[in-house]
Amino acid sequence: MGVQALEHVTIRCAQRQRTRDFYVELMGLTEGERPDFPFRGHWLYLGGVPVIHLVEAADTGGAWGREIVLPNPDQGTGAFDHVAFQGDDFEAMRTRLAEAGLTFRERIVPGGRLKQLFVPDPEGVLVEINFRN
């Protein structure tokens, strides 16, 4: 008996609206229903599942009922390295990121069956997008 699936990732946001726009407008997630928590945030859906939860860093309490200490995005996210999504059109996403003026990296995995784009979100979380041939 063990875990069966990843449910969601929660990101504490100093720039909540900008981070929401990154995931909705650039990554293609949709904002959806969210419980009436006593703190501000967004639930962002992929295929009907709320996979990214954004929480306003300025709000106190959080999931553990304690004050929030926000990491510096320039210093990384500790042991958490990145979140990965499956993409469907490498060139279209590459163009979308470039037109948005974002700095990103691209890589072709040895063997040529997988292309990847890597872009940091506004909070400094690295987003990997995989495109399989």
Side-chain angles (χ1 to χ4, degrees), residues 23-37:
Y23 285 101
V24 171
E25 295 173 12
L26 292 172
M27 297 293 113
L29 277 68
T30 56
E31 184 167 6
E33 185 177 345
R34 176 181 178 267
D36 189 21
F37 291 116

Side-chain angles (χ1 to χ4, degrees), residues 11-119:
I11 302 170
R12 289 227 176 265
C13 301
Q15 304 173 69
R16 179 175 49 93
Q17 190 62 40
R18 186 171 171 218
T19 303
R20 177 244 176 241
D21 293 348
F22 172 89
Y23 285 101
V24 171
E25 295 173 12
L26 292 172
M27 297 293 113
L29 277 68
T30 56
E31 184 167 6
E33 185 177 345
R34 176 181 178 267
D36 189 21
F37 291 116
F39 48 88
R40 294 178 294 259
H42 303 278
W43 277 17
L44 307 179
Y45 286 69
L46 182 62
V49 178
V51 296
I52 300 286
H53 295 185
L54 304 179
V55 176
E56 176 108 20
D59 287 331
T60 58
W64 293 101
R66 59 182 159 81
E67 293 295 316
I68 305 307
V69 177
L70 192 65
N72 180 340
D74 295 335
Q75 297 175 355
T77 56
F80 183 84
D81 187 73
H82 68 275
V83 60
F85 293 99
Q86 180 179 340
D88 62 0
D89 187 333
F90 179 85
E91 292 302 328
M93 180 59 75
R94 185 179 188 286
T95 299
R96 183 182 298 174
L97 297 175
E99 287 176 351
L102 296 173
T103 300
F104 59 92
R105 293 180 295 133
E106 52 187 278
R107 175 171 59 194
I108 298 176
V109 174
R113 293 190 182 137
L114 181 66
K115 291 181 180 179
Q116 300 173 307
L117 294 170
F118 297 88
V119 59

